[in-house]
Amino acid sequence: MNQTMKHFIMKLKSHIILLPLSVLVLACSGNKNTAVKEDLILTISGESNSSSGCSRKCIRISSINVQKDDCYDEDERVFTKDCESDLGEDPFFSELLQTKATYWEAIENETDENSSEDAGLPFIVTLTNKGETTSYVLLRINKYPTKAYADFMKRVAKLFDKWKDCKSE
C-alpha cells in the first residue's frame, strides 16, 4: 500500500470514530436547552368565598401544566407559582384552555348588557394566544342571561369556592 492510501485509511478511521461521537454530543446538547413553547396561556383570577386569609386566587393554565397562586396580587399582576399539576388533573382545565376568545367575550358582553343584578367581585380572565393578550372581566352574579353561561360560570366559580391549598413540600 502506498503512503497516500495509508493516510486516507487513517483519516477515514478517525472520521468513522468521530461521526457517532459527534451525533451523540449533538443529540445530548440539543435536548439540554429545549424549552416547550406555550402558545396558549389562560389565567383566571377570582375571589375564594371559602378562603381564610388571602382570598384573591389565580389559576394559570397552559398546554404544559396548571399552576395555582394562593394569594394573587391583582394590582401588581404578580403571579407566584405556589404549586403546579398536570393539565389532566381536572378535565375542566383542558376545557377552559380550549375555550375560544369569542366565548369569553360573549359572556362578558351578555352579562354586562343584560344583568341588573348586583355583582360580586369579578373573575378576570386573561387569554394569551401566540403573544397576543386579551382580558375579560366576568361579573360574578347569581343569574346569568343564558343557562349555558350560568352552568359554565358555576363551574369556574367552583374552582375558586372549593379552592384546595397547595400541599407543602
Side-chain angles (χ1 to χ4, degrees):
M1 231 190 272
N2 67 19
Q3 200 63 350
T4 309
M5 186 61 109
K6 283 183 183 178
H7 181 68
F8 176 74
I9 291 173
M10 293 286 273
K11 275 191 148 188
L12 185 60
K13 283 182 181 178
S14 68
H15 286 291
I16 290 172
I17 291 171
L18 287 177
L19 182 62
L21 187 59
S22 300
V23 170
L24 182 64
V25 168
L26 286 173
C28 291
S29 66
N31 291 336
K32 190 186 255 184
N33 293 323
T34 303
V36 178
K37 188 174 181 183
E38 296 177 309
D39 283 337
L40 185 61
I41 301 167
L42 178 70
T43 306
I44 304 173
S45 65
E47 295 295 321
S48 173
N49 286 339
S50 62
S51 177
S52 59
C54 291
S55 64
R56 194 69 179 172
K57 309 294 185 182
C58 189
I59 299 171
R60 181 185 185 275
I61 306 168
S62 75
S63 59
I64 307 297
N65 60 17
V66 177
Q67 299 173 356
K68 294 180 179 179
D69 184 347
D70 288 334
C71 285
Y72 183 64
D73 187 344
E74 185 73 51
D75 295 329
E76 296 294 321
R77 300 226 181 248
V78 175
F79 184 86
T80 305
K81 179 178 67 174
D82 292 320
C83 64
E84 61 184 69
S85 61
D86 291 332
L87 188 60
E89 179 187 285
D90 181 338
F92 190 47
F93 291 141
S94 292
E95 185 180 331
L96 286 168
L97 188 60
Q98 294 171 11
T99 301
K100 303 281 184 210
T102 53
Y103 193 75
W104 294 113
E105 186 176 351
I107 293 174
E108 180 183 51
N109 290 338
E110 284 290 320
T111 305
D112 287 349
E113 291 172 12
N114 298 316
S115 178
S116 59
E117 287 194 35
D118 290 334
L121 293 169
F123 292 106
I124 309 295
V125 176
T126 304
L127 182 63
T128 303
N129 191 358
K130 296 179 182 170
E132 297 213 7
T133 300
T134 310
S135 293
Y136 308 95
V137 178
L138 305 179
L139 299 177
R140 188 169 185 163
I141 55 179
N142 292 324
K143 199 172 183 183
Y144 287 88
T146 69
K147 182 174 176 3
Y149 295 157
D151 292 345
F152 184 79
M153 290 306 295
K154 282 179 189 174
R155 293 173 69 197
V156 170
K158 185 177 175 183
L159 292 174
F160 291 88
D161 292 343
K162 307 268 186 205
W163 187 268
K164 294 178 185 171
D165 287 331
C166 300
K167 296 174 185 169
S168 55
E169 296 180 35

